Amino acid sequence: MFYSCISFIIFQSKIISDEQIALMVYTILVIALLVAMFILFFSSFQKRKNKLLLEKIRREREFEEEIVKTKTEIQEQTLKNVGLELHDNIGQLLSVTNMQLSLISSLAQDSIKDKVEDTKAIISDVIKEVRGLSKVLNSEVVLNFGFQESLRTEIERLNKMNTIKAELLSSGDKNSFKNNKDAIILFRILQEFISNAVKYSKATQLTVTLNYEKDNLQIIAEDNGVGFNVENVKKGSGLINMKSRAKLTNTEFNLISTPNQGTKLLLNYPIALRAISQTT
């Protein structure tokens, strides 16, 4: 009888232990399921959040690029109008003035004829300068002459000014550059660099080097001027606009300058990539 009671108690204890184990396993499974659901929900929420954030960044970037593109188009149209005005109106007026001087020279006394002829020569030089300037301002001329030839015209104009000695160096096949819209943008970037070199750098020499490679066009523009601290460049300045324009053409942009050590602009333009994107 006694042993029977002991056996019953042990049996009951075993049943309770099995029930407890089953309950513990069930509890663990429920907790694990809840944790898995939480992780899945959090992961899904995080992915959605990241997607929205990336979408916001993309929209902001597209908006900024559109603003830069619009500003560039406005500037291009303004420069085109100025170029046409110089060529058609001011150039014509100067030509008429020169013709009038020719008439005056034929009627003038010998004592003033030389002065009239000197004035005619000066006006002829002015006409050449005005027409040369109108070429580099008009984007259609850049399209017609090509990137390198337009740049060469700009370098020649600089040398005529006798304020800075400029040089254009080139290697490789210039005909590999076929994206005309990008050519205008890169030309304007270099114009901005040249303009700053003439106005502010106090440089005596300026060199632009074009290296045409299979997939890229490497552009190096450098002067021997006073230089500046790149970190102190004000937002909205011409140098900042150069960087924004480079981004429009997927061009790597690097501006290096140190006080009293000149300034160097490095551009790496993806010729092959942009040629493909132009035709698609």
Side-chain angles (χ1 to χ4, degrees):
M1 183 68 179
F2 175 76
Y3 288 109
S4 298
C5 291
I6 294 296
S7 299
F8 179 76
I9 292 171
I10 292 172
F11 178 74
Q12 287 294 107
S13 299
K14 186 178 180 180
I15 294 174
I16 292 171
S17 298
D18 290 342
E19 290 179 350
Q20 288 178 338
I21 291 171
L23 181 61
M24 289 175 61
V25 171
Y26 177 77
T27 303
I28 291 171
L29 289 174
V30 170
I31 293 173
L33 181 62
L34 291 173
V35 170
M37 290 178 63
F38 175 78
I39 292 173
L40 184 63
F41 173 79
F42 181 78
S43 176
S44 177
F45 172 77
Q46 197 66 27
K47 285 182 179 179
R48 181 173 177 78
K49 181 181 177 182
N50 291 340
K51 184 179 179 180
L52 292 173
L53 183 61
L54 290 172
E55 182 67 19
K56 180 182 178 182
I57 293 172
R58 184 186 65 81
R59 287 199 305 268
E60 289 177 351
R61 185 174 65 249
E62 288 180 351
F63 179 72
E64 290 175 0
E65 289 179 353
E66 191 62 32
I67 289 177
V68 173
K69 185 178 179 181
T70 302
K71 287 182 178 179
T72 301
E73 289 174 352
I74 292 172
Q75 290 172 356
E76 288 300 327
Q77 187 60 44
T78 302
L79 290 172
K80 179 181 176 181
N81 293 339
V82 172
L84 290 172
E85 186 72 19
L86 285 172
H87 184 272
D88 295 341
N89 293 339
I90 298 177
Q92 285 294 104
L93 289 172
L94 288 170
S95 296
V96 171
T97 302
N98 218 17
M99 290 172 61
Q100 293 291 338
L101 283 173
S102 296
L103 180 61
I104 293 172
S105 178
S106 64
L107 301 175
Q109 299 178 359
D110 293 338
S111 58
I112 63 170
K113 185 169 290 188
D114 289 341
K115 292 183 179 180
V116 174
E117 289 297 326
D118 289 342
T119 303
K120 277 185 60 184
I122 292 172
I123 291 180
S124 294
D125 289 340
V126 172
I127 291 173
K128 291 179 182 178
E129 290 296 320
V130 167
R131 287 176 177 170
L133 185 58
S134 69
K135 286 181 180 179
V136 297
L137 289 177
N138 192 337
S139 59
E140 290 184 0
V141 175
V142 177
L143 291 177
N144 292 331
F145 280 84
F147 172 71
Q148 184 164 316
E149 292 307 312
S150 298
L151 191 56
R152 191 179 301 281
T153 300
E154 181 75 354
I155 294 297
E156 290 174 353
R157 188 179 68 85
L158 276 180
N159 286 325
K160 288 178 183 178
M161 292 168 59
N162 292 322
T163 57
I164 189 171
K165 183 179 179 182
E167 185 179 18
L168 176 64
L169 304 175
S170 173
S171 65
D173 181 14
K174 68 178 182 179
N175 295 321
S176 61
F177 193 0
K178 299 179 180 179
N179 191 322
N180 292 330
K181 292 181 179 179
D182 287 0
I184 294 172
I185 293 175
L186 291 180
F187 179 73
R188 295 303 183 210
I189 292 173
L190 290 170
Q191 267 193 326
E192 185 69 42
F193 181 87
I194 292 170
S195 176
N196 279 279
V198 172
K199 290 180 182 178
Y200 309 116
S201 75
K202 299 180 181 178
T204 58
Q205 292 183 329
L206 183 145
T207 304
V208 178
T209 305
L210 307 177
N211 295 321
Y212 296 90
E213 299 177 348
K214 180 180 179 182
D215 297 323
N216 300 290
L217 166 60
Q218 292 184 340
I219 304 173
I220 305 172
E222 52 189 331
D223 65 47
N224 65 344
V226 297
F228 60 95
N229 190 335
V230 178
E231 300 298 325
N232 295 335
V233 175
K234 294 181 180 179
K235 189 175 183 180
S237 69
L239 295 176
I240 298 297
N241 292 337
M242 287 162 55
K243 187 174 183 179
S244 299
R245 285 185 167 189
K247 184 186 290 187
L248 290 175
T249 60
N250 300 120
T251 299
E252 294 178 16
F253 178 96
N254 192 13
L255 186 67
I256 304 169
S257 186
T258 305
N260 303 316
Q261 294 186 25
T263 303
K264 180 183 287 188
L265 172 65
L266 303 173
L267 299 173
N268 190 25
Y269 169 75
I271 281 185
L273 176 65
R274 296 297 294 180
I276 293 172
S277 65
Q278 185 191 29
T279 56
T280 55

